[in-house]
Amino acid sequence: MASFAQSLAIESWTLYAIGLILIAMRLASRRIQLGAFDKFQLDDHIMILVTLTFTGVIVSTNQVANNGSNYLPPGEAELLTEPEIVSAIWGSKMTFVLEEFTLSTTWLIKGCLLLLYGRLTLGLKQNTAVKFLAYYCLLGFVVVQVLFLGVWCRPIQQYWAVPVVNSQCATYYNHMITATTFNISSDLMMLLIPLPLLIKSKLPLKRKLIVCGVFSLGIFVILAAILNRYFNFTVAYSPIFLNWYVGEVSTAVFVANIPLCWPLIRRIFALDTFGGSKRSRSNDQSRSHLQSSSKRIYARNTRRSVTRLHSRTESNVGFGESEERIARTWTPQPEGHLELNPMEKKTGFKTSVVAGSDVEEGKDEWTSQETITKTVQISQYSV
């Protein structure tokens, strides 16, 4: 048992260190992406909470490995000495805590991914599927907790009794069946949301394969969950299930954070954006688009109308929406004055384009009654 506890400690704390590094990279990437820590979105704050529950999983797993539990073959608990019973009771309590930390970590990560998918599908019909899946996950978490705390083992103190009266209090078999059903079914549905969108997208094949591969990492979470339950049911009364608890939770942490580490990696290695252009190139394209829009306005003589121009340019944070409005009738001139002023720190800019005839020959002055106002609203759907 001592050798198993030592090998588990090495494995679990190694996976924990990797998980913390990925969480830190994700948060650093989000800081680069959003511009400030106080602009973090809900899923970023949830991931910080996941750090605490993930720590609880690792600590409680090692406590169970070192102290044992009431998960013993029939008749063996009655042979324990008093010190062994005390140790088994403590280990059983840690098993109960381990299960709660595992459920919390798993479902919090589901929440992070659902918030991400909600932003990706905003304005699309798939957003309805995301909302349905969110309700399904919430329902699953409530059902699993109610059954675990109030149905499968009563009274709840039997979870750490040595020996137990009800075998379910030691094996957790009924609980594992219900938890696994909701866990794997919701993970499968999560895979069905982004992949069809990516497959139907017009991305180049190489880039499409990379993105699909990243979002398909959830397959490893499902595989880890299946293996966890397989060893629970086939290798009875063995502590090997502890390795798979750590493996399942660690895999979920890895998968939830790897896709969001790209901004930091791009900055460290001075790489192009994933869209294939550097940030400065994107800015140049935006300026060129603004200039071409102004030229099209000049070509419309004495027309009073409201024109909307929607543009979606690929960048490292999201999409931009542009709206043009002609406020008054004006006389087109070959040149104009362009002024770009910040409207809000968070959401956009106000651009004023003023055009008209000179008041006096040789003076660059414009009439205040003849203006074009361009308002650019940038809504960030950060990934």
Side-chain angles (χ1 to χ4, degrees):
M1 189 69 178
S3 60
F4 171 78
Q6 184 177 6
S7 63
L8 177 65
I10 295 173
E11 176 186 342
S12 61
W13 288 108
T14 301
L15 293 174
Y16 175 74
I18 297 173
L20 285 190
I21 292 173
L22 289 174
I23 291 175
M25 290 178 63
R26 172 221 175 94
L27 297 178
S29 295
R30 296 291 284 164
R31 167 63 177 81
I32 294 171
Q33 203 170 41
L34 301 176
F37 288 113
D38 59 2
K39 295 181 180 179
F40 273 6
Q41 295 174 300
L42 181 57
D43 54 321
D44 302 313
H45 295 291
I46 291 177
M47 188 54 64
I48 295 174
L49 180 59
V50 166
T51 303
L52 301 179
T53 60
F54 185 33
T55 303
V57 169
I58 303 302
V59 172
S60 56
T61 298
N62 284 279
Q63 285 293 306
V64 175
N66 284 293
N67 293 279
S69 68
N70 57 9
Y71 185 48
L72 299 169
E76 189 171 321
E78 289 79 4
L79 303 177
L80 298 177
T81 64
E82 188 64 29
E84 290 174 336
I85 290 177
V86 173
S87 178
I89 291 175
W90 174 253
S92 300
K93 290 181 179 179
M94 288 297 99
T95 303
F96 179 83
V97 172
L98 168 62
E99 189 63 33
E100 283 296 333
F101 274 131
T102 300
L103 292 174
S104 300
T105 305
T106 302
W107 259 264
L108 285 172
I109 290 175
K110 291 180 191 295
C112 287
L113 293 175
L114 285 171
L115 289 169
L116 171 63
Y117 293 163
R119 292 197 298 270
L120 290 175
T121 60
L122 191 63
L124 303 176
K125 62 181 181 180
Q126 286 81 0
N127 192 256
T128 303
V130 175
K131 293 178 181 178
F132 170 80
L133 182 54
Y135 287 120
Y136 178 77
C137 289
L138 180 60
L139 174 65
F141 182 77
V142 172
V143 170
V144 168
Q145 287 287 2
V146 169
L147 294 176
F148 179 57
L149 300 177
V151 176
W152 301 134
C153 178
R154 300 182 64 184
I156 196 172
Q157 291 82 359
Q158 279 292 305
Y159 275 119
W160 50 85
V162 180
V164 296
V165 177
N166 181 0
S167 62
Q168 292 294 330
C169 300
T171 62
Y172 291 22
Y173 282 169
N174 289 344
H175 163 70
M176 286 190 292
I177 292 172
T178 54
T180 304
T181 300
F182 281 106
N183 183 24
I184 294 181
S185 60
S186 58
D187 285 346
L188 286 172
M189 284 188 280
M190 282 188 184
L191 287 176
L192 296 177
I193 292 176
L195 291 182
L197 290 175
L198 294 172
I199 293 173
K200 294 178 181 179
S201 68
K202 296 182 180 180
L203 290 172
L205 180 59
K206 180 180 178 181
R207 194 178 307 158
K208 183 184 296 186
L209 292 175
I210 293 174
V211 177
C212 288
V214 170
F215 281 96
S216 297
L217 292 174
I219 295 175
F220 293 100
V221 180
I222 296 173
L223 179 62
I226 293 174
L227 290 173
N228 185 4
R229 296 309 179 229
Y230 172 79
F231 283 100
N232 269 278
F233 287 111
T234 60
V235 188
Y237 306 109
S238 170
I240 192 67
F241 75 93
L242 295 172
N243 296 82
W244 287 103
Y245 263 77
V246 174
E248 179 184 351
V249 174
S250 299
T251 304
V253 172
F254 299 166
V255 170
N257 289 283
I258 287 176
L260 298 177
C261 293
W262 175 248
L264 179 64
I265 296 174
R266 189 184 69 245
R267 173 166 292 190
I268 292 176
F269 296 101
L271 300 174
D272 285 353
T273 64
F274 192 72
S277 62
K278 291 189 178 297
R279 185 176 303 178
S280 59
R281 193 183 308 167
S282 177
N283 292 339
D284 291 340
Q285 292 174 351
S286 298
R287 285 193 294 268
S288 175
H289 176 74
L290 180 61
Q291 291 173 357
S292 62
S293 299
S294 299
K295 290 179 180 179
R296 286 195 297 270
I297 295 173
Y298 278 118
R300 300 173 185 176
N301 296 328
T302 62
R303 177 183 299 174
R304 181 177 300 175
S305 64
V306 177
T307 303
R308 284 182 175 268
L309 175 63
H310 293 284
S311 65
R312 292 189 174 232
T313 56
E314 188 175 348
S315 67
N316 66 323
V317 293
F319 302 96
E321 257 185 75
S322 173
E323 178 182 340
E324 292 186 9
R325 183 179 72 251
I326 301 178
R328 298 182 62 89
T329 303
W330 55 283
T331 303
Q333 298 293 334
E335 295 181 354
H337 174 65
L338 181 63
E339 180 185 358
L340 183 64
N341 296 317
M343 184 175 66
E344 292 179 9
K345 293 182 178 179
K346 294 182 178 180
T347 59
F349 298 95
K350 180 179 180 181
T351 305
S352 297
V353 182
V354 182
S357 56
D358 293 344
V359 175
E360 295 182 13
E361 186 70 18
K363 292 186 179 180
D364 189 20
E365 297 182 2
W366 308 93
T367 60
S368 60
Q369 299 298 320
E370 299 171 347
T371 63
I372 304 169
T373 301
K374 178 182 178 67
T375 302
V376 180
Q377 180 67 34
I378 301 175
S379 301
Q380 294 184 350
Y381 303 98
S382 304
V383 178

